[in-house]
Amino acid sequence: MVKDMKLILGILMEKEHVKKLNRMTKTINKSIYLSVLAILITLTACNTEKIDNKNVFYINTQKDFDQLSGTEFPEGSKVLFASGTEFEGQFVLKGSGSEEKSNMVGTYDPKSRQVLYEWAENKAVINGLGKVESAIYLYNGQHWEINNIEITNTDGTLNDQGKLKGIYIVAENSGVMNNITIKNCFVHNVNGHVGGKWHGGIHLHVLGDSIKTKFHKLMIENNVIKDVGGVGIGNQSSWRDINTEKYYPWTEFIVRGNFIERTGRNCIILRNALNPLIEYNVAAASSRFDTGHSIVNFNTINCIVQHNEAYGNVGPAKENERGGFDADYKSIGTIIQYNYSHDNNWFCGIMRRGINTDITIRYNISQNELLGCYLYGFPTEYGLKDVKVYNNVHYFGKGKGNRIFVEGGKVRHPIETIFQNNIFYFEDEADWGFKPESSCFFDSNLFINVSPKGCNAITLDPMFVDPGKGKTNIDMRDPERLSGYRLKGNSPCIKAGVKIENNGGKDFWDNPLLNAKPNIGVFGNQ
């Protein structure tokens, strides 16, 4: 019986295993056959055993790579690279899946024949060698998932090698392109020590002007992007003029759970989208060879930026884009909330150039920025309207930043902003930097070691539990994250704030906000 079982399990890993099992039914114990057949069905349903059909393309050698690149892959295709194997050049994906039968490019284990759907260390590797625009290229395809591929694209020098990318997705004069997912990929060492916005790690572009084109249902999730020249994750569209007939925003666009480190310019720039979401990303050491805020939304409507960590965006004080976050212009309804910014030159940029209206910055923690809190960009312009900054904590330890509004090489006065229920805590003596213009309003804020401003200001110790000890690369889903910024029971901040409508409904730790008079700071409840 044991011998029969081993024989059947061995057959499961071969081609034509169902036919072989059927032929064996007369020579083995029937109960064993039925048991193993049940295992086979279960494994197939769980996607853990070998996929064997006409639309699976195995790439084990460089010859396979060269022959299959540029193939028009039919719907339901799986393009599978052998794990731990390195390939060179550009792999071109053509064709599309469908809603019922999506396409996938990924890594599989040649021994077990298992497809590696979750993050794996032994990914297949595609090296562009700096000779191709991108190591993976998809043109006018939809219903594709790119999963678990390692990508490089450099000639090994520090020089600018052109507009190189790791993964490049293009839609041109093609209408609505649906369901693109890029996940679990490791993109690193792309180009040299260069900045620029049009190249980098993972980029998606809409081109052409004859047919309105956009992406719908686009997910960029759980990727690691390191040491890339240009922008870590970026997108652009030729249909981008907000508030005009040419604005055709992308929809259901999510950038989630990515770790991005040491980029030539910004870590993330998300453009041209309606209701996009940027969440649970880490943006580290952004903009090494050009200036740019770490996480930026531009040309968007109702963009939500939340639960992200941004740190290490530093440079000379005169440089103008060295913060963790940026409420950029040509945007409406931006919300920046529940984020953790630390050890940048400042927390957040707010652009004075229009269109930029209905901005909300709330329940964020900023710790030990090197210069200050906020930078107002385009300081001679007055297009900015309706900015609401409330219930944020700005904490500066000894020897850290000592200004609320920073200069970034220019005179920058805040405009059109309401500041409420915020904590500005400096261990060293600090100043405002620039005087806010009369269109700004301050109510119920707490100030330590900086002169108070506005009505109902508090200058007492906020009585944090244990501030200044936030670490790096924290789990933003951990219910105890940054708990040192909660308030002690006798804090003067408790029920000392002003009530704010449409406040998001929860504090930094996801506690529901009660209808009672709110606290000052990010902790919502006693």
Side-chain angles (χ1 to χ4, degrees):
M1 184 177 294
V2 173
K3 182 178 179 181
D4 288 339
M5 180 71 79
K6 287 182 177 179
L7 180 60
I8 294 171
L9 290 174
I11 288 172
L12 293 182
M13 305 309 298
E14 300 177 4
K15 289 184 177 181
E16 308 297 333
H17 51 260
V18 174
K19 292 180 180 178
K20 289 189 177 184
L21 281 173
N22 287 336
R23 289 198 298 268
M24 293 179 64
T25 56
K26 297 180 179 180
T27 60
I28 63 173
N29 183 290
K30 184 176 180 180
S31 63
I32 297 175
Y33 168 75
L34 293 175
S35 297
V36 176
L37 187 59
I39 294 172
L40 173 61
I41 294 170
T42 302
L43 290 174
T44 301
C46 295
N47 292 321
T48 59
E49 65 105 34
K50 185 188 86 170
I51 298 173
D52 182 32
N53 62 58
K54 63 181 180 180
N55 288 339
V56 176
F57 302 85
Y58 293 105
I59 301 174
N60 299 306
T61 66
Q62 186 66 41
K63 182 179 179 181
D64 297 337
F65 182 98
D66 295 337
Q67 288 179 341
L68 287 173
S69 177
T71 297
E72 190 84 16
F73 293 103
E75 66 176 30
S77 291
K78 285 185 167 54
V79 184
L80 302 176
F81 295 85
S83 63
T85 305
E86 295 195 19
F87 306 92
E88 294 181 356
Q90 182 183 67
F91 196 84
V92 178
L93 297 168
K94 292 183 179 180
S96 292
S98 65
E99 191 73 40
E100 296 77 21
K101 296 180 180 180
S102 62
N103 288 358
M104 174 194 175
V105 55
T107 293
Y108 86 107
D109 183 340
K111 292 182 179 180
S112 68
R113 311 292 271 186
Q114 291 182 8
V115 180
L116 306 182
Y117 290 104
E118 302 302 323
W119 177 273
E121 297 298 327
N122 58 332
K123 306 178 192 298
V125 183
I126 303 177
N127 299 309
L129 303 176
K131 297 178 180 180
V132 295
E133 186 173 8
S134 62
I136 290 181
Y137 178 58
L138 172 63
Y139 179 77
N140 279 356
Q142 56 184 330
H143 301 288
W144 274 97
E145 177 182 304
I146 301 173
N147 190 351
N148 248 326
I149 303 291
E150 182 175 347
I151 299 288
T152 72
N153 194 11
T154 180
D155 64 10
T157 72
L158 304 183
N159 301 327
D160 187 347
Q161 300 152 45
K163 293 183 178 179
L164 304 187
K165 307 160 189 74
I167 298 172
Y168 189 30
I169 313 295
V170 173
E172 184 173 11
N173 294 324
S174 53
V176 179
M177 305 303 289
N178 295 285
N179 292 316
I180 301 293
T181 297
I182 305 170
K183 62 189 294 188
N184 299 322
C185 291
F186 180 24
V187 181
H188 62 101
N189 296 100
V190 176
N191 214 319
H193 285 184
V194 297
K197 295 181 178 180
W198 309 111
H199 43 284
I202 298 173
H203 280 240
L204 303 97
H205 290 171
V206 163
L207 307 176
D209 58 8
S210 61
I211 299 175
K212 278 190 172 183
T213 300
K214 71 173 184 177
F215 287 101
H216 174 65
K217 293 187 178 179
L218 172 61
M219 173 76 78
I220 304 174
E221 183 175 30
N222 294 338
N223 302 284
V224 174
I225 302 169
K226 293 185 177 182
D227 300 304
V228 298
V231 175
I233 296 173
N235 72 300
Q236 187 54 283
S237 173
S238 53
W239 300 89
R240 62 178 179 266
D241 295 330
I242 195 169
N243 278 7
T244 74
E245 292 182 357
K246 283 195 169 184
Y247 189 56
Y248 198 42
W250 304 8
T251 44
E252 295 190 35
F253 184 4
I254 299 174
V255 179
R256 174 185 292 143
N258 303 283
F259 183 91
I260 309 161
E261 183 177 35
R262 294 187 300 273
T263 54
R265 192 151 174 164
N266 318 73
C267 285
I268 298 172
I269 300 181
L270 189 153
R271 303 178 176 95
N272 317 310
L274 173 66
N275 303 322
L277 180 60
I278 306 172
E279 66 177 4
Y280 295 107
N281 302 283
V282 175
S286 174
S287 306
R288 297 301 81 219
F289 310 112
D290 200 351
T291 59
H293 288 97
S294 302
I295 298 178
V296 179
N297 64 289
F298 179 82
N299 228 338
T300 59
I301 297 175
N302 299 336
C303 179
I304 296 178
V305 182
Q306 63 182 13
H307 304 297
N308 303 284
E309 178 182 356
Y311 64 89
N313 193 345
V314 297
K318 66 180 181 181
E319 292 183 339
N320 67 348
E321 293 189 20
R322 287 288 181 201
F325 300 87
D326 184 4
D328 212 344
Y329 71 104
K330 284 195 173 181
S331 294
I332 299 169
T334 299
I335 298 177
I336 300 174
Q337 61 185 7
Y338 314 122
N339 299 288
Y340 173 40
S341 174
H342 61 99
D343 301 289
N344 305 290
N345 274 13
W346 53 82
F347 159 51
C348 190
I350 301 172
M351 299 300 111
R352 289 178 47 156
R353 174 177 285 181
I355 302 167
N356 201 14
T357 185
D358 187 19
I359 299 166
T360 300
I361 301 172
R362 65 189 178 199
Y363 289 96
N364 301 284
I365 293 175
S366 169
Q367 174 184 285
N368 289 338
E369 316 289 11
L370 301 189
L371 298 179
C373 302
Y374 296 94
L375 175 136
Y376 279 73
F378 301 99
T380 63
E381 302 195 27
Y382 283 84
L384 179 68
K385 303 294 181 185
D386 188 19
V387 185
K388 301 165 283 288
V389 178
Y390 59 87
N391 287 99
N392 301 283
V393 167
H394 306 279
Y395 180 91
F396 296 87
K398 288 284 186 183
K400 301 299 181 179
N402 61 358
R403 305 185 95 181
I404 293 179
F405 303 119
V406 301
E407 62 181 60
K410 295 181 180 180
V411 175
R412 302 173 183 275
H413 293 282
I415 63 171
E416 299 289 340
T417 307
I418 297 174
F419 293 87
Q420 296 174 307
N421 303 345
N422 301 287
I423 295 176
F424 298 94
Y425 187 107
F426 297 88
E427 290 199 13
D428 297 328
E429 290 295 322
D431 61 56
W432 282 83
F434 298 108
K435 180 180 178 181
E437 294 194 6
S438 59
S439 59
C440 293
F441 176 73
F442 294 81
D443 185 9
S444 302
N445 300 286
L446 183 145
F447 304 94
I448 297 294
N449 282 324
V450 65
S451 60
K453 189 179 292 293
C455 55
N456 304 309
I458 296 175
T459 57
L460 300 173
D461 184 344
M463 302 187 71
F464 292 122
V465 170
D466 192 16
K469 296 181 180 179
K471 296 183 179 180
T472 298
N473 299 334
I474 67 171
D475 181 0
M476 292 296 285
R477 293 181 173 87
D478 182 356
E480 296 302 314
R481 66 194 182 279
L482 301 170
S483 58
Y485 289 100
R486 291 174 175 154
L487 301 173
K488 294 179 180 178
N490 54 347
S491 168
C493 297
I494 292 175
K495 295 185 179 180
V498 59
K499 188 173 181 179
I500 296 172
E501 299 296 330
N502 301 315
N503 58 13
K506 60 183 182 180
D507 71 1
F508 186 84
W509 293 277
D510 299 326
N511 298 311
L513 298 175
L514 304 179
N515 291 325
K517 194 172 183 181
N519 297 343
I520 294 173
V522 295
F523 183 51
N525 295 300
Q526 171 82 21

